Amino acid sequence: MEASKVIHAIYTDDDVLMSAVKKVKAERFHIEEIYTPFPVHGLDKAMGLAPTRIAITAFIYGLIGLTVAIVMMNFIMIEDWPQDIGGKPSFSYIENMPAFVPIMFELTVFFSAHLMVITFYLRSRMWPFKNAENPDPRTTDDHFLMEIAVDGNAEVLESLLADTGAVEINLVDKAH
Amino acid sequence: MYTFSNKLKTFSIALIIIGAIGVAYGFMTSHKSFAEVETLLAVEAHHGGDHSEVASHDTHAGVHADDADVDGHKEHVEHVQHQIANRPWSALYVAAFFFMMIALGVLAFYAIQIASQAGWSPVLFRVMEGITAYVLPGALIVLAIAVASGTIGHYNLFIWMDPEVVAHDKLIQGKAGWLNIGWFAVRGLIFIAGWSLYRHFSRKFSIAQDTAEDNSNFKKSFRISAAFLVFFIYSESIMSWDWIMSVDPHWFSTLFGWYVFASMFVSGVTVIALVTIYLKSKGVLEFVNENHLHDVAKFMFALSIFWTYLWFSQFMLIWYSNIPEEVTYFVTRFNDYQLPFFGMVVMNFVFPLLLLMNADYKRVPWFVVMAGLVILFGHYIDIFVMIMPATVGDRWFIGIPEISSILLFAGLFIFVVFTALTKAPLLVKGYPFRKESEEFHY
């Protein structure tokens, strides 16, 4: 791979950023990444990012949690040692089911929530002691940064970005 | 302005007529003589139909317990005779209550939207106001049927109205200070007056706001909505004890009011969705978009789960402790109403849970309509299972009296609601959050 260069265009307003994204997309340049201090509503749509599938994983994790709860309590309370505890019918799972529902519910939520969060961390590559990948510390406060790959067309890109209202345009070598 | 299409008007009137004929048929065929019931029971016993005397003595067991010298056979036949006579009354009452509670649920939802200054829903206000037009006639009909069952009828819904029953029943005697026809009717009228007054004034302010120069009407409706919500939660609780829980005067449950409320709330929101989709398909609600539908469907989804939570909380607490005087309520339902009792949990919980969980599906009108019809039918069954075990016992069936009663009140509901919708423009013009609501997107 050749030595990759990127342009960092910095904005100070999310509305300007949004219109800049639309213009850059219209000119068919590829936006590598955008760094913002807070969620900008509609940015993912403007960038054309694929929708997240994390809700689907959460649903599947919930089903797993429900299954764990049912199998666990069926084994412990019904199959392994079906004691008479206060007259509760432990002959079959369904007969004593109402007593298990609170646990079934909680485990469904527990699995769904925790596994989804862990999935989120893995997919977004976030963990303790991870080195921050921030190209410019100002993007955590009040600046927005758009990173565009340069493919021998730096001048065209720079003038386009200057038109979109960028306050600062830097050509940087990206040391991978 | 919306015009009530002739087609829909004819349809609603046809429903009323067909329903009325069926209801009349139900009443005509339910008065069986002692001998007729005797032969009916003999035939059933012959065919192996096991309507054992023990099983059917659910609600009236305590009533006749003292009369030890009464012949068991005669008592059983009279009991069944009474149950058969109760059926058209109960069918009518369940359907009347079901449509009344839809309108009342919408009224509560409307008040909440105004009191919480919701920014998404103002474009749906006129739809809600149209539906709440049914509160006054609907609630009066329910109260009238309840009172008539004790005065014109032969105590066909509420056994505590029967002086002979009360005379032999210590438990009901102890509750007679609350459960007597006079005070029952007065309470009902107070509730209906409160609800319809709020409905009348909020509608008046809403229409006045359309042409007003300032926000004074909006402020007034905000204030009365807050006050109404306080009145509503008290009156709704008491209404649910009176109109539903007292069909089983030996039984009580503390979260019953909330449970009935959840049922009416989710049915109301579902009907908002259905009427909105209908009007949108007629092209008279251009300002309503799929985002509004999405929000309504989210309410349908969340409130279905809320209903299930209360249903289960009531059921599980009683099942777990298994105290004889409480648990008979569910024993009857387990023995004689297994399919409706568990079927409604599937329709009111499992179905909406799986169908309306996906965000994309909530934006598809026909999908919301299908889910909504299942929810509405499920909540009809919910009311059915609240009333029927106490009145007809194991002699229930969803046949001509039940279906005709639904048709009758569905026709009346459609007629009243869509007539009310023609009375004002379908967009609240001067409402402060109108613009926000029109541009609402999720």
Side-chain angles (χ1 to χ4, degrees), chain B residues 84-400:
Chain B
I84 293 173
N86 288 347
R87 192 173 152 201
W89 282 97
S90 315
L92 199 64
Y93 190 68
V94 170
F97 187 90
F98 175 68
F99 284 97
M100 183 282 292
M101 85 172 185
I102 289 173
L104 192 56
V106 173
L107 191 66
F109 188 73
Y110 177 70
I112 290 171
Q113 296 304 305
I114 293 177
S116 64
Q117 305 198 350
W120 66 276
S121 52
V123 294
L124 300 176
F125 276 0
R126 284 289 145 81
V127 174
M128 297 183 209
E129 286 167 18
I131 298 170
T132 56
Y134 188 74
V135 167
L136 180 61
L140 283 176
I141 290 169
V142 173
L143 187 63
I145 297 173
V147 171
S149 77
T151 49
I152 303 170
H154 193 73
Y155 314 111
N156 296 87
L157 289 170
F158 302 94
I159 53 164
W160 56 261
M161 287 181 178
D162 189 344
E164 208 170 304
V165 170
V166 179
H168 294 96
D169 192 319
K170 278 245 161 58
L171 275 170
I172 300 182
Q173 280 166 22
K175 298 182 184 186
W178 183 265
L179 292 179
N180 58 72
I181 296 191
W183 183 208
F184 174 89
V186 171
R187 280 196 305 269
L189 288 174
I190 293 171
F191 303 152
I192 296 170
W195 304 334
S196 356
L197 278 177
Y198 168 70
R199 198 269 163 190
H200 173 79
F201 282 107
S202 64
R203 167 79 163 180
K204 197 179 126 189
F205 295 148
S206 170
I207 287 171
Q209 185 66 46
D210 276 0
T211 49
E213 312 252 297
D214 57 6
N215 281 339
S216 60
N217 291 295
F218 160 69
K219 285 179 185 160
K220 277 190 251 174
S221 73
F222 174 78
R223 270 186 226 119
I224 61 168
S225 297
F228 167 72
L229 285 170
V230 176
F231 173 77
F232 174 77
I233 203 60
Y234 282 102
S235 58
E236 189 275 335
S237 260
I238 300 172
M239 177 275 282
S240 73
W241 309 336
D242 276 359
W243 296 3
I244 295 192
M245 199 160 77
S246 79
V247 293
D248 289 294
H250 285 181
W251 181 81
F252 56 87
S253 163
T254 40
L255 63 67
F256 200 76
W258 280 107
Y259 174 57
V260 173
F261 169 71
S263 213
M264 67 168 59
F265 209 43
V266 66
S267 316
V269 172
T270 304
V271 170
I272 294 175
L274 296 183
V275 174
T276 305
I277 291 170
Y278 172 78
L279 291 175
K280 176 112 180 106
S281 77
K282 295 282 159 203
V284 288
L285 292 178
E286 322 81 50
F287 38 84
V288 172
N289 57 43
E290 57 183 10
N291 297 292
H292 298 104
L293 181 64
H294 189 157
D295 261 30
V296 176
K298 274 193 271 189
F299 267 106
M300 285 162 62
F301 175 73
L303 295 172
S304 289
I305 293 170
F306 176 62
W307 173 87
T308 315
Y309 167 64
L310 293 174
W311 173 83
F312 184 71
S313 301
Q314 174 166 285
F315 166 65
M316 195 256 227
L317 286 181
I318 290 174
W319 172 85
Y320 211 119
S321 56
N322 204 19
I323 301 171
E325 55 260 44
E326 292 183 339
V327 86
T328 48
Y329 185 82
F330 285 111
V331 170
T332 330
R333 280 152 185 81
F334 258 73
N335 290 341
D336 301 331
Y337 289 77
Q338 217 157 40
L339 181 67
F341 187 68
F342 292 109
M344 78 178 176
V345 182
V346 174
M347 284 193 286
N348 292 342
F349 174 62
V350 181
F351 231 82
L353 180 82
L354 296 176
L355 288 188
L356 294 175
M357 192 184 296
N358 190 315
D360 296 331
Y361 292 169
K362 287 199 272 270
R363 307 170 81 84
V364 183
W366 69 266
F367 215 88
V368 177
V369 170
M370 296 317 282
L373 291 177
V374 173
I375 292 174
L376 282 184
F377 191 61
H379 284 282
Y380 171 78
I381 299 290
D382 187 17
I383 305 298
F384 187 85
V385 174
M386 287 184 203
I387 301 286
M388 290 295 181
T391 53
V392 301
D394 59 353
R395 305 231 146 237
W396 69 274
F397 191 70
I398 299 192
I400 290 174

